[in-house]
Amino acid sequence: MYLTAHGTAGLVIASFIPNPILAFVVAILSHAVLDFIPHGDEHIADQTRFGLLHAKHRVAGAALLDGALLTFFVLLYVATTPLISYQTMIWAFVGAVLPDILQGIYLVTNVHWLKEFNHIHQGVHNLAGHKLNWKQGMLVQAMTFTALWLMLM
């Protein structure tokens, strides 16, 4: 899933779980649950299909667009909903997006200490064994985001 869905899941968790540490842990777990759902972006960084340089450009471009959308929706949420604990919201949000941030760092830099984490993260993506093409995946992600957003409202 893109950060927009994961970040929104973090906001949902923060709205239901007032304890920041518990919200952080549940948000990390929610990341794995959402990544288990086939969602069509598994090949965005596939270096064998598209080449290393192009993979980095695709990852960076997708991350920038996704980050901009997520920022818009977080600001919209904060501006239009009753105040919840910002501390809880931040911890849940960080927990929800942290695995993708770490994977992004690994894909761009290949730092050795994130290699095993990346392997596990990719394994969660592939557990269902059903691959979607990009269009199908965007539909699944849009439906997931919509469902999460409706839970916030």
Side-chain angles (χ1 to χ4, degrees), residues 22-42:
L22 183 57
F24 176 80
V25 171
V26 171
I28 288 175
L29 295 174
S30 80
H31 188 102
V33 170
L34 289 175
D35 275 354
F36 175 73
I37 300 167
H39 52 275
D41 66 359
E42 293 87 358

Side-chain angles (χ1 to χ4, degrees), residues 11-24 26-27 85 88-89 92:
L11 295 177
V12 169
I13 290 164
S15 70
F16 286 101
I17 299 175
N19 181 298
I21 303 303
L22 183 57
F24 176 80
V26 171
S85 166
T88 302
M89 185 178 77

Side-chain angles (χ1 to χ4, degrees), residues 14-151:
S15 70
F16 286 101
I17 299 175
N19 181 298
I21 303 303
L22 183 57
F24 176 80
V25 171
V26 171
I28 288 175
L29 295 174
S30 80
H31 188 102
V33 170
L34 289 175
D35 275 354
F36 175 73
I37 300 167
H39 52 275
D41 66 359
E42 293 87 358
H43 302 293
I44 193 166
D46 189 345
Q47 297 171 7
T48 60
R49 287 174 68 180
F50 303 106
L52 179 60
L53 183 60
H54 297 296
K56 288 183 179 182
H57 286 140
R58 275 193 315 284
V59 169
L64 287 173
L65 178 59
D66 190 27
L69 282 172
L70 179 56
T71 300
F72 170 78
F73 283 110
V74 168
L75 292 174
L76 179 65
Y77 174 72
V78 169
T80 60
T81 59
L83 183 64
I84 62 171
S85 166
Y86 283 126
Q87 182 181 19
T88 302
M89 185 178 77
I90 290 167
W91 278 105
F93 183 83
V94 168
V97 300
L98 184 61
D100 279 348
I101 299 296
L102 293 175
Q103 183 181 35
I105 291 169
Y106 174 75
L107 292 174
V108 172
T109 65
N110 288 321
V111 292
H112 71 280
W113 57 273
L114 287 174
K115 184 175 184 174
E116 186 60 29
F117 168 80
N118 185 63
H119 180 71
I120 293 167
H121 192 241
Q122 283 303 111
V124 171
H125 278 241
N126 297 323
L127 275 176
H130 182 73
K131 300 292 183 208
L132 301 178
N133 66 40
W134 187 82
K135 289 178 186 177
Q136 293 167 325
M138 291 307 98
L139 179 60
V140 168
Q141 291 200 49
M143 291 186 313
T144 302
F145 170 77
T146 301
L148 288 166
W149 189 256
L150 288 172
M151 291 175 72

